Amino acid sequence: MNPSDLQRFAVSNRFTRFPKSFSLRKKVPWWYKILDPRSRFIARWNRTFLYACIVALFLDPLYFYYPITGDKACMQTDWYLGVVVTFARTVADLFFLFHMVLKFRTAYVNPLTRVYGHKELVTDPHLIAKRYLKHDFIIDLLATLPLPQIVIWFVIPAVKGSTVAQGNHTISLIVLIQYVPRLFQIFPLQRRILKTSGLITKTALAGAVYNLCFYMLASHVLGASWYVSSIQRQFECWRITCRREMNRTHSPSCKPAYLDCNLLDDPARQAWFKRTSVLADCDALNDKNDFQFGMFSDAFTDHVSSSTFSQKYFYCLWWGLKNLTSYAQGLNTSTYVGETVFSSFICIAGSILFAHLIGNMQNYLQSSTARLEEWRLKQKDTEEWMNHRQLPPELQQRIRRFVQYKWLATRGVDEEAILRDLPIDLRRQIQRHLCLDIVRRVPFFGQMDDQLLDAICERLVASLNTKDTYIVREGDPVREMLFIIRGQLESSTTDGGRTGYYNSIILRPGDFCGEELLTWALMPTSNLSLPDSTRTVKTVTEVEAFALRAEDLKFVSNQFKRLHSKKLQHAFRYYSHQWRAWGAAFIQTAWRRYRKRKLTMELLQKENLYYTNIEQEDGEGEEQRVGGSSSSSGNRAQISTTVLASRFAANTRRGAAKKIAIPDSDSLKMPKMFKPTEPDFSTFQDEN
């Protein structure tokens, strides 16, 4: 294909739509992928496989309950139990098989790179398989092979002339041999889990239960071993007695096949059973018998072998647990070598496992109560110190209440120490998760962008205060701003100690106090002296809050000039309780001044109306007196003089009334409410 053809093909397929699953990179099937041993999948699988191994260790001893004996002097097998255990063990074997497959596809750390601390992974499948075949393949293969299932369902039925006793011996031997690699497979698995996650269980209670499960597993194994040994010991007594009855003096003669319950319907076996002494000679209750059952006599005196499976299992579990905890001190052993060896093994295993259980459980319980003990010691030291300093009872009670509240809130965990040990990015993300929603609940900070909020959240510290605690008093320097999470505070002011003035509000979750510090931090010419508080803040209930210290707030204001915008300035004025109190007092003063002036004007109008009526009445009386005495010319001059005098007196009274009713500006002065200080924003450019 020439270049022109390629160009035409590209143009014709320019708008071709490929499916979403289309990729130029060839997909690798999952069975060809090499897994990272530090990945989350491998960590989860190791923990899951550990639990599967414990279940498998519990299932294998159940094969020891496979043989059953009764009062017919014969042995048979529990086929129902065999089917259930075989199915459960096959499912457990699938976990072992999948674990082997994963090991062929899991990378490993190159030993040469551990010296330099780089820990390079080897991902070559051939090298991984070669290393696995050299180290752990044989043990994993022995632990994975379904040997008991093969023997029970294929080998024993195929062998001609095999008896139940022979099959029981074979199964017990195979289970014990395969139990060893399955048990030793747990220890490297635990080391891998500890290396990747640092712990097997997340809580102290789970750790104690985990160690107790191993102790109960050991009791389960010992009880099942004791049961199968008891059955074999009884069968040995039957075999010895049957061998004595095989001579010509006894009729009918005993055959080893008679000890198998498959021949219960045989007439010869029934005739032999009527005349044999095998039951009397092998009776564990008869102390006169030559055969000694020793530590296995309880299995026959309590009729354990002929009981149901549940009764049999719990009795054997109790027997193993009792002898493990008592170090086999209550066992009555005989001179049989196998019995004495088994008793010695129980004594040694019991002492080791019990010491391991007590030690681990003590460590787990101490780890769960370590902080509690530390708090108790600290509380004791505090009590001794208060008694030594002879503090007042009320002050001692407040200290005790604070220590108790701090323990309930933090449980003795030092959050600041934990955050200091983390990287900056993780610390920022944690602070953002803890504080961002709380800070956004404050309406003033809702006007800020995420970058500025992250800077504020990064510097917030937890603050705990008990009831009736003074956060700050009026006139004291403000050292931090508080953002309330839970609880209530009372914020009050007297306006610098002014007589007759008192303002109080209740701060709830989402509110803040110490806004004088924000005004101080926004000032470009602020010095090292902190601002004085204009309000007294006291806790009404237990309060949990975040505190922003003065130096941190100053750093944020210097680094982020957006904090100086007019928009944030107006938002600060709107949501600040100090500005609200000043606005309310200013409105109240203006309203009182308006009311006083209004009352004065109303009084002035009433007085003017009153004096106007008086003047009208005086004028009418004057005219009547002038008309009645017109004949007397001497009296006219006197009346005119009287009218002028009355008018002068009325005008004089009116002027005096006006002087009294309209006071000067000094008489209307109200107490001045000082406006809260605010920073000078003229040196910064306004931002929308």
Side-chain angles (χ1 to χ4, degrees):
M1 182 178 292
N2 52 27
S4 60
D5 296 336
L6 288 175
Q7 186 176 3
R8 287 194 299 271
F9 178 77
V11 171
S12 61
N13 292 277
R14 181 180 299 175
F15 301 102
T16 302
R17 293 185 179 180
F18 294 99
K20 294 182 179 181
S21 60
F22 177 78
S23 178
L24 296 177
R25 182 181 297 177
K26 185 178 180 181
K27 292 185 178 181
V28 180
W30 63 269
W31 55 85
Y32 287 139
K33 293 181 180 179
I34 302 299
L35 302 176
D36 188 354
R38 297 163 296 188
S39 63
R40 184 178 299 179
F41 172 75
I42 294 296
R44 290 180 178 178
W45 168 252
N46 288 335
R47 196 175 296 274
T48 304
F49 184 64
L50 176 63
Y51 300 147
C53 289
I54 296 175
V55 173
L57 292 176
F58 170 79
L59 290 174
D60 285 353
L62 294 179
Y63 281 109
F64 293 160
Y65 297 99
Y66 192 56
I68 302 174
T69 60
D71 53 355
K72 299 295 182 179
C74 65
M75 182 184 297
Q76 61 181 350
T77 56
D78 190 352
W79 291 105
Y80 179 76
L81 177 64
V83 171
V84 174
V85 176
T86 298
F87 175 77
R89 195 182 191 276
T90 304
V91 175
D93 291 342
L94 295 178
F95 283 88
F96 285 86
L97 180 62
F98 186 69
H99 185 68
M100 290 183 64
V101 175
L102 282 183
K103 280 192 172 183
F104 277 108
R105 311 305 302 176
T106 304
Y108 66 93
V109 179
N110 191 352
L112 299 178
T113 59
R114 294 180 179 176
V115 181
Y116 305 101
H118 182 59
K119 294 184 179 181
E120 181 181 354
L121 293 178
V122 178
T123 58
D124 188 1
H126 299 286
L127 296 177
I128 295 173
K130 184 178 180 181
R131 180 179 179 273
Y132 179 52
L133 291 174
K134 286 183 178 180
H135 292 83
D136 302 332
F137 178 75
I138 300 299
I139 297 178
D140 292 345
L141 182 62
L142 292 176
T144 306
L145 290 176
L147 297 180
Q149 298 96 306
I150 295 175
V151 171
I152 291 176
W153 303 104
F154 297 100
V155 177
I156 294 178
V159 176
K160 296 182 179 180
S162 62
T163 60
V164 176
Q166 294 174 353
N168 180 34
H169 294 320
T170 305
I171 294 173
S172 301
L173 182 62
I174 289 176
V175 170
L176 286 176
I177 292 175
Q178 198 175 19
Y179 203 80
V180 175
R182 291 202 167 195
L183 180 62
F184 279 95
Q185 204 171 23
I186 291 182
F187 301 111
L189 188 61
Q190 286 182 341
R191 287 196 297 269
R192 284 196 295 270
I193 294 175
L194 291 175
K195 187 181 295 184
T196 55
S197 61
L199 71 167
I200 296 178
T201 57
K202 296 182 180 180
T203 61
L205 180 61
V209 172
Y210 177 76
N211 286 275
L212 184 62
C213 286
F214 276 100
Y215 195 78
M216 297 299 295
L217 179 63
S219 304
H220 165 63
V221 174
L222 283 180
S225 302
W226 172 76
Y227 174 79
V228 72
S229 300
S230 302
I231 297 298
Q232 293 178 359
R233 190 65 175 160
Q234 188 180 41
F235 186 81
E236 181 68 18
C237 179
W238 291 346
R239 190 177 61 81
I240 293 174
T241 305
C242 183
R243 186 180 300 173
R244 290 199 305 262
E245 294 180 357
M246 288 177 62
N247 51 18
R248 298 179 181 179
T249 58
H250 190 276
S251 180
S253 179
C254 180
K255 296 180 181 180
Y258 290 167
L259 302 179
D260 195 336
C261 291
N262 294 328
L263 297 178
L264 283 177
D265 298 332
D266 189 2
R269 203 268 181 193
Q270 294 177 357
W272 165 81
F273 183 72
K274 291 179 181 180
R275 306 185 61 179
T276 184
S277 61
V278 64
L279 294 179
D281 295 342
C282 297
D283 188 5
L285 297 176
N286 191 0
D287 297 334
K288 297 181 180 180
N289 293 333
D290 297 335
F291 192 86
Q292 298 179 359
F293 286 94
M295 60 183 292
F296 305 111
S297 60
D298 294 340
F300 309 107
T301 56
D302 296 334
H303 305 284
V304 177
S305 59
S306 58
S307 302
T308 61
F309 173 75
S310 60
Q311 296 174 347
K312 187 188 308 181
Y313 171 75
F314 285 107
Y315 184 90
C316 295
L317 180 64
W318 169 82
W319 188 92
L321 185 62
K322 178 187 70 172
N323 289 281
L324 269 182
T325 53
S326 63
Y327 310 134
Q329 294 180 1
L331 293 179
N332 297 321
T333 59
S334 63
T335 57
Y336 180 57
V337 177
E339 188 175 345
T340 54
V341 171
F342 187 56
S343 301
S344 302
F345 174 76
I346 293 176
C347 183
I348 297 173
S351 59
I352 295 174
L353 291 175
F354 192 73
H356 182 266
L357 174 66
I358 296 299
N360 286 333
M361 293 192 70
Q362 184 179 6
N363 292 334
Y364 279 107
L365 293 178
Q366 284 181 353
S367 65
S368 62
T369 59
R371 297 192 182 277
L372 182 60
E373 292 297 328
E374 183 180 355
W375 174 72
R376 288 177 179 174
L377 292 176
K378 186 176 180 180
Q379 192 177 22
K380 182 180 178 181
D381 295 340
T382 305
E383 292 288 340
E384 293 179 356
W385 174 78
M386 290 189 299
N387 294 330
H388 176 69
R389 294 298 181 183
Q390 297 181 358
L391 298 181
E394 296 180 358
L395 189 57
Q396 291 185 13
Q397 187 64 26
R398 289 182 60 186
I399 294 175
R400 294 190 190 99
R401 190 164 62 244
F402 174 76
V403 173
Q404 179 73 20
Y405 177 67
K406 186 177 180 180
W407 165 257
L408 294 176
T410 62
R411 291 295 178 180
V413 178
D414 190 358
E415 295 183 0
E416 295 186 9
I418 295 175
L419 291 175
R420 280 196 303 267
D421 296 337
L422 296 176
I424 297 178
D425 182 61
L426 281 178
R427 194 186 313 162
R428 185 181 297 112
Q429 293 294 330
I430 293 173
Q431 289 291 99
R432 180 183 177 88
H433 171 72
L434 294 177
C435 309
L436 186 59
D437 293 338
I438 298 171
V439 171
R440 279 180 174 172
R441 275 191 282 172
V442 179
F444 171 64
F445 290 109
Q447 309 290 335
M448 301 180 184
D449 56 1
D450 292 340
Q451 187 177 6
L452 185 56
L453 290 178
D454 288 340
I456 294 176
C457 292
E458 188 177 353
R459 289 162 178 81
L460 290 177
V461 294
S463 177
L464 301 175
N465 297 278
T466 56
K467 185 180 179 181
D468 298 332
T469 300
Y470 284 92
I471 306 297
V472 65
R473 298 177 185 268
E474 188 174 357
D476 293 344
V478 183
R479 303 182 183 276
E480 60 185 13
M481 287 186 67
L482 281 183
F483 304 98
I484 305 172
I485 303 174
R486 281 182 288 272
Q488 295 181 356
L489 291 90
E490 181 186 7
S491 177
S492 60
T493 181
T494 60
D495 194 22
R498 197 178 74 193
T499 305
Y501 181 85
Y502 181 78
N503 176 263
S504 177
I505 56 174
I506 298 296
L507 303 180
R508 293 178 173 82
D511 295 334
F512 61 94
C513 61
E515 56 267 23
E516 300 91 349
L517 199 62
L518 183 60
T519 303
W520 168 83
L522 292 178
M523 289 183 179
T525 59
S526 61
N527 49 20
L528 297 179
S529 60
L530 297 175
D532 295 335
S533 176
T534 59
R535 307 184 71 87
T536 299
V537 181
K538 180 182 178 182
T539 58
V540 180
T541 61
E542 282 77 11
V543 174
E544 185 175 353
F546 280 113
L548 186 60
R549 295 166 182 166
E551 56 272 15
D552 296 330
L553 185 58
K554 186 65 178 177
F555 175 80
V556 173
S557 64
N558 292 335
Q559 293 294 324
F560 296 91
K561 300 303 180 182
R562 289 188 298 275
L563 199 60
H564 300 270
S565 65
K566 286 291 184 180
K567 184 179 180 181
L568 292 182
Q569 179 188 6
H570 294 317
F572 170 72
R573 290 178 181 176
Y574 181 77
Y575 293 109
S576 173
H577 294 286
Q578 182 186 2
W579 277 83
R580 289 184 178 183
W582 175 82
F586 186 84
I587 294 173
Q588 289 175 1
T589 303
W591 173 253
R592 290 168 185 165
R593 185 180 294 112
Y594 168 75
R595 288 287 300 172
K596 189 171 184 179
R597 288 182 177 179
K598 184 178 179 181
L599 291 176
T600 304
M601 294 302 295
E602 290 178 354
L603 181 60
L604 179 61
Q605 291 176 1
K606 290 180 180 180
E607 289 180 351
N608 291 335
L609 181 61
Y610 173 75
Y611 286 114
T612 302
N613 294 332
I614 291 177
E615 290 176 359
Q616 291 178 358
E617 292 177 358
D618 293 342
E620 292 176 357
E622 224 174 286
E623 291 177 355
Q624 291 177 0
R625 285 194 298 271
V626 172
S629 59
S630 57
S631 60
S632 176
S633 61
N635 292 335
R636 291 180 180 176
Q638 188 177 359
I639 293 172
S640 61
T641 304
T642 304
V643 171
L644 292 175
S646 63
R647 288 181 178 179
F648 178 76
N651 292 333
T652 303
R653 287 194 299 271
R654 189 182 298 111
K658 290 182 179 179
K659 188 174 182 180
I660 295 173
I662 305 176
D664 55 1
S665 59
D666 295 336
S667 62
L668 290 176
K669 283 187 178 179
M670 300 297 292
K672 186 177 181 181
M673 181 68 184
F674 294 99
K675 181 179 179 181
T677 58
E678 60 179 347
D680 184 11
F681 292 90
S682 60
T683 57
F684 301 100
Q685 183 179 0
D686 295 344
E687 296 182 8
N688 294 326

